Amino acid sequence: MIVYENTKREFLDDVFKEDIEQIILEAFSRRTGRKVSQQEIKAWAASLQFMGKVLNDPSIPEDCGVAIEYTIPQTAKRVDFLVTGHTADGSPSLVVVELKQWEAAEVTSKDAIVRTRFAGGSAETSHPSYQAWTYVALLKGFNAAVEEGGIELRSCAYLHNYPTHGSPLNDPFYKSHVDKAPLFLSGSDERRRLRAFIAQHVRTGDGKHTLYRIEHGRIRPSRSLADALVGMLENASEFVLVDDQKLVFEEAIHLAHRAAAGAKQVLIVEGGPGTGKSVVAVNLLVRLIGGGMTAKYVTKNAAPREVYLAKLQGHPRRTEFAHLFASSGSFIERPDEEFGALVVDEAHRLREKSGMISNRGENQIKELIAAARLSVFFIDQSQKVTLKDIGTKAAIRQWARKAGAQVHEMELASQFRCNGSDGYLAWLDHTLQVRQTANEFLDPSEFDFRVIDSPTELRRLIEEKNAERNRARIVAGYCWPWPSKNDAKAWDIVLPEHEFRARWNLTVDGNLWMINPNSVREIGCIHTCQGLEVDYIGVIVGDDLVVRDGKVITEPTARARSDSSVKGLKKLAKQDAAAAAREADVIIKNTYRTLMTRGMKGCYVYCTDAETAQFLRSRLIAKSTPVEAYADTPPEWRRRWAPTADPSGQPGTAVSALHGAFEAQAANAPRFRILDRHAVRPFETAIPVTTLKIAAGAFGASQDDAGFTQWAAPDGVVIGPGMFIAQVVGESMNRRVPNGAWCVFRANPAGTRNGKIVIAQHRSIEDPETGGSYTLKRYASEKVAAEGGGWRHARIVLSPESSDSAFRPIVLEPSEAAEVTIVAELVSVLA
């Protein structure tokens, strides 16, 4: 995402004739919906004036592209300033400029790390040249347009307030980084040097063409840690450590040297999902053993270790590498400081006792600290998911001090999962009522979060995503027993109302479920996915977490009796009922929080409880889409979804959750465009545009083109047989489908219809909104066993979802239910 883009000529007009910081602020608010600090606004005002002076020269083409605040795909990292054009040989070129307000800095003994003063005081941070270079490396890694388009990338750092004389930033210690990304400081001479650097790589303009390719380039599939493990163990540079990741890594190396000299060290690193804890941990392990130190990578959870070892299968050094991975329970009665370093990942899962029946040892934290001169604990206290998890920062501090160790604490904040969306994690915490944040609503354009109507549809979506590169799985809360453990033919998760059944993953694939290609139809649990990641995660939320009147309620009794994560809760309840309730609430919420953050690109959720599903949907509110976005559609089809003004007269304030839901649907809906009938391949490149009345009679089993005359291609919708576009008129479904919305439908849907929004047709239906014997409603079927086997309908209920309580369900009893025809199912709402 680019906040601001223009040609150099227009940028200079905005800098010298307008208030550029206000232009950026308005664009930032419009594109992201977020606020920025006054300090950042002042930084824009100052830095962009300096960049205006740099570019205000004929040596830099008037029509070169200028972009400000570019967010690198799948990260939360924003590049300050971009200049694009062509090199002398005509190749597309892009220059990254990292802007800083610094006035002083100090050299440290750590690679690419300097010390400077921030608003909160002096602190260590990445060298500006290293930071600029890493952003280019990320851009190469995540944006396919760079490689496919042959775009040449250059980077530099511009510290326009920093004195040039004797700068520590140019110390020979940092030469390798400054060589990769030149450093420019204050003064007219430095300004001329930066201008020459940009002019060298941007000889001619491109009218923003390269910016368009960068903004709209295909996002390259990200590599998982498991896939990159072999290369990392062989010292290949598989991941670039960025900002706080680099700080943590270098601090750990520094402490390893201090520990080797005799001073016992403990480093606690706190970081949420997707902040790179495991990436830093494995990089650290490789560096430590490469430096001759005895070290191990330790986890309580077996799944990450087994997945990593599976990736080493067939490698000539597999046995050697396998010894680097250890269970947290394997350090009982080991000699003190046997290891130079232990890198403990997922430290929140550490236990007090070890062994199969938890009867060995005293305390895993104590034993790990005792066994090494340096212990590094990577922890996320919001991922405690069983009563036996004891890994907290307080507990680590306590045992470290008892062992006479020096304790250090750091934090990882950079987001590389959930499409780089810090907002998604804050929204999830707010929605699950883990903690209150400012993120009450989620814009699904930031992260592909969907509430799915049925587990069958959830499975279909996940299998579709998994077909791309085996990187999608379904997980669930512990609300179903595990009969397949003893009977391989038994089904564990059974939802008869949706004709859905599945088995827990441990039955067949065990801890390798996340990577085995045939395991996509199995359901995973917290133990086989925690510490790992996929592109898309499907989550089945059971009755242990429900919403009633806007309050999230956890119910441990809804969990299966085989669930060991809350084992001991009844005993605790007898001693302290309030404490037991608090513990259960934390564990259940943390479980779903962890499950819902396993996806790098998307999370699709099915809730067994309807009110819970509706609550999640009500939290998905996005910005409105201006009518100009649909300029390529016929005028009579355009519809402006504009926020209603509040009583104070301020525009842009949504006055109800319902209106916000309309905005969300419009803002995130695909567009569609009418195509020449003779230039399309029916149901391959386009689908017909019709009315519900015609659709109700036109689609038969043949699913041919039925003489349709108007055809359209909806953006972002996978076209298939029997699909069509039609307009929905009326308010009976306005919580999901706004009155007048154009929608994509799939005729003659296969599989279960339960929970789906469908066009149902029956002779007894008289719908005043459609004017016929068909209606758009949510379908629910109650079935009973039929004589001779199979099922029969007990009754069918077609329910409205409206803000108007006057709309009532249509109930069809057994004699009528058999004659109901499901004409089509809703696929998506278009604008």
Side-chain angles (χ1 to χ4, degrees), residues 179-208:
D179 286 346
K180 292 178 183 176
L183 186 68
F184 302 97
L185 306 178
S186 68
S188 57
D189 289 343
E190 291 290 284
R191 194 158 56 244
R192 281 191 288 270
R193 285 183 60 236
L194 173 56
R195 183 181 299 139
F197 176 80
I198 295 173
Q200 177 187 352
H201 300 292
V202 181
R203 292 292 183 89
T204 59
D206 63 353
K208 303 192 295 184

Side-chain angles (χ1 to χ4, degrees), residues 559-753:
R559 288 197 158 194
R561 294 181 63 184
S562 55
D563 171 30
S564 61
S565 62
V566 290
K567 187 176 181 180
L569 192 65
K570 290 182 179 179
K571 179 180 178 181
L572 177 60
K574 292 178 180 178
Q575 301 168 351
D576 188 335
R582 285 193 299 271
E583 282 289 308
D585 190 67
V586 166
I587 288 168
I588 293 172
K589 287 181 178 178
N590 282 357
T591 296
Y592 284 113
R593 178 185 187 269
T594 303
L595 295 179
M596 291 184 191
T597 53
R598 297 305 92 194
M600 297 188 72
K601 296 181 179 179
C603 174
Y604 304 157
V605 174
Y606 165 72
C607 302
T608 56
D609 177 72
E611 187 174 342
T612 306
Q614 184 56 36
F615 173 77
L616 292 178
R617 288 190 186 101
S618 73
R619 304 296 90 188
L620 301 178
I621 294 183
K623 303 179 296 298
S624 61
T625 300
V627 70
E628 289 76 12
Y630 307 101
D632 53 352
T633 62
E636 65 271 18
W637 290 11
R638 298 178 197 164
R639 183 177 181 88
R640 181 187 296 271
W641 302 99
T644 303
D646 70 7
S648 67
Q650 294 297 318
T653 303
V655 296
S656 69
L658 174 61
H659 188 88
F662 289 178
E663 288 185 308
Q665 290 169 352
N668 297 292
R671 310 169 193 174
F672 66 101
R673 57 196 181 280
I674 294 294
L675 302 175
D676 183 345
R677 170 66 180 87
H678 302 290
V680 304
R681 296 193 301 277
F683 303 110
E684 293 183 25
T685 61
I687 56 179
V689 180
T690 183
T691 66
L692 293 185
K693 182 177 181 179
I694 293 175
F699 283 94
S702 63
Q703 293 186 353
D704 59 21
D705 61 21
F708 295 112
T709 58
Q710 281 194 310
W711 294 76
D715 293 343
V717 175
V718 179
I719 292 174
M723 296 175 70
F724 63 92
I725 296 173
Q727 189 177 35
V728 174
V729 178
E731 302 289 350
S732 66
M733 292 297 292
N734 65 18
R735 291 190 182 276
R736 292 301 309 282
V737 183
N739 183 3
W742 291 84
C743 303
V744 176
F745 295 91
R746 182 186 292 111
N748 305 315
T752 182
R753 290 82 178 266

Side-chain angles (χ1 to χ4, degrees), residues 323-644:
H323 286 301
L324 300 176
F325 299 88
S327 163
S328 59
S330 60
F331 295 87
I332 303 167
E333 298 176 355
R334 302 294 286 262
D336 284 352
E337 299 188 351
E338 177 184 2
F339 299 94
L342 292 177
V343 181
V344 186
D345 205 359
E346 304 289 323
H348 39 270
R349 295 301 317 280
L350 295 175
R351 301 286 183 89
E352 188 174 46
K353 302 288 186 178
S354 302
M356 289 293 293
I357 57 174
S358 301
N359 64 339
R360 300 187 60 225
E362 180 183 351
N363 184 289
Q364 289 185 354
I365 299 174
K366 174 187 178 182
E367 291 149 8
L368 289 164
I369 293 173
R373 290 188 291 278
L374 166 66
S375 305
V376 183
F377 294 91
F378 290 89
I379 188 170
D380 178 2
Q381 294 181 128
S382 293
Q383 290 194 50
K384 172 184 177 177
V385 293
T386 80
L387 274 178
K388 292 184 178 179
D389 294 349
I390 64 163
T392 64
K393 292 191 294 183
I396 295 170
R397 288 189 208 105
Q398 177 186 350
W399 286 110
R401 287 168 182 148
K402 285 184 178 179
Q406 297 176 7
V407 181
H408 312 265
E409 298 187 36
M410 301 185 75
E411 183 179 1
L412 289 171
S414 301
Q415 177 54 238
F416 289 86
R417 197 182 291 158
C418 305
N419 207 28
S421 175
D422 294 315
Y424 171 67
L425 298 178
W427 171 83
L428 189 60
D429 282 351
H430 190 98
T431 301
L432 295 179
Q433 296 169 10
V434 173
R435 63 185 176 96
Q436 190 168 10
T437 73
N439 298 67
E440 185 176 357
F441 301 108
L442 175 70
D443 179 354
S445 66
E446 293 184 2
F447 180 66
D448 187 5
F449 183 91
R450 308 183 201 177
V451 182
I452 308 302
D453 291 332
S454 75
T456 310
E457 178 66 7
L458 177 67
R459 174 184 274 166
R460 185 191 69 79
L461 285 169
I462 291 298
E463 288 182 351
E464 184 180 277
K465 295 295 186 183
N466 191 64
E468 296 174 8
R469 58 189 197 121
N470 190 34
R471 295 266 292 159
R473 292 294 184 274
I474 300 178
V475 293
Y478 281 127
C479 295
W480 293 271
W482 189 12
S484 65
K485 181 178 182 180
N486 301 313
D487 178 4
K489 295 182 179 180
W491 297 97
D492 303 320
I493 299 175
V494 179
L495 298 167
E497 66 273 25
H498 294 288
E499 301 176 13
F500 177 89
R501 56 187 186 177
R503 294 186 179 93
W504 285 113
N505 63 285
L506 289 170
T507 305
V508 178
D509 293 310
N511 288 320
L512 297 180
W513 163 81
M514 276 288 240
I515 60 172
N516 280 357
N518 297 324
S519 67
V520 67
R521 291 189 68 84
E522 294 181 349
I523 308 297
C525 66
I526 189 70
H527 300 304
T528 47
C529 72
Q530 193 170 23
L532 298 168
E533 61 194 16
V534 290
D535 287 344
Y536 292 90
I537 195 73
V539 182
I540 298 178
V541 178
D543 289 343
D544 58 340
L545 186 144
V546 298
V547 176
R548 294 292 178 264
D549 298 323
K551 180 175 176 59
V552 177
I553 299 171
T554 54
E555 183 48 74
T557 59
R559 288 197 158 194
R561 294 181 63 184
S562 55
D563 171 30
S564 61
S565 62
V566 290
K567 187 176 181 180
L569 192 65
K570 290 182 179 179
K571 179 180 178 181
L572 177 60
K574 292 178 180 178
Q575 301 168 351
D576 188 335
R582 285 193 299 271
E583 282 289 308
D585 190 67
V586 166
I587 288 168
I588 293 172
K589 287 181 178 178
N590 282 357
T591 296
Y592 284 113
R593 178 185 187 269
T594 303
L595 295 179
M596 291 184 191
T597 53
R598 297 305 92 194
M600 297 188 72
K601 296 181 179 179
C603 174
Y604 304 157
V605 174
Y606 165 72
C607 302
T608 56
D609 177 72
E611 187 174 342
T612 306
Q614 184 56 36
F615 173 77
L616 292 178
R617 288 190 186 101
S618 73
R619 304 296 90 188
L620 301 178
I621 294 183
K623 303 179 296 298
S624 61
T625 300
V627 70
E628 289 76 12
Y630 307 101
D632 53 352
T633 62
E636 65 271 18
W637 290 11
R638 298 178 197 164
R639 183 177 181 88
R640 181 187 296 271
W641 302 99
T644 303

Side-chain angles (χ1 to χ4, degrees), residues 102-182:
W102 298 2
E103 297 179 359
E106 301 172 21
V107 177
T108 73
S109 61
K110 302 170 187 176
D111 178 58
I113 303 299
V114 299
R115 178 174 286 276
T116 190
R117 180 166 294 279
F118 296 98
S122 179
E124 291 184 345
T125 188
S126 299
H127 189 287
S129 292
Y130 176 83
Q131 188 176 3
W133 172 80
T134 58
Y135 288 173
V136 163
L138 287 177
L139 192 53
K140 287 180 180 178
F142 286 119
N143 196 313
V146 173
E147 182 177 325
E148 294 171 355
I151 300 173
E152 295 189 12
L153 300 182
R154 296 290 186 274
S155 59
C156 64
Y158 184 27
L159 284 69
H160 47 76
N161 294 338
Y162 202 105
T164 56
H165 181 68
S167 169
L169 296 174
N170 281 314
D171 190 276
F173 181 62
Y174 302 118
K175 183 177 185 301
S176 63
H177 304 297
V178 176
D179 286 346
K180 292 178 183 176

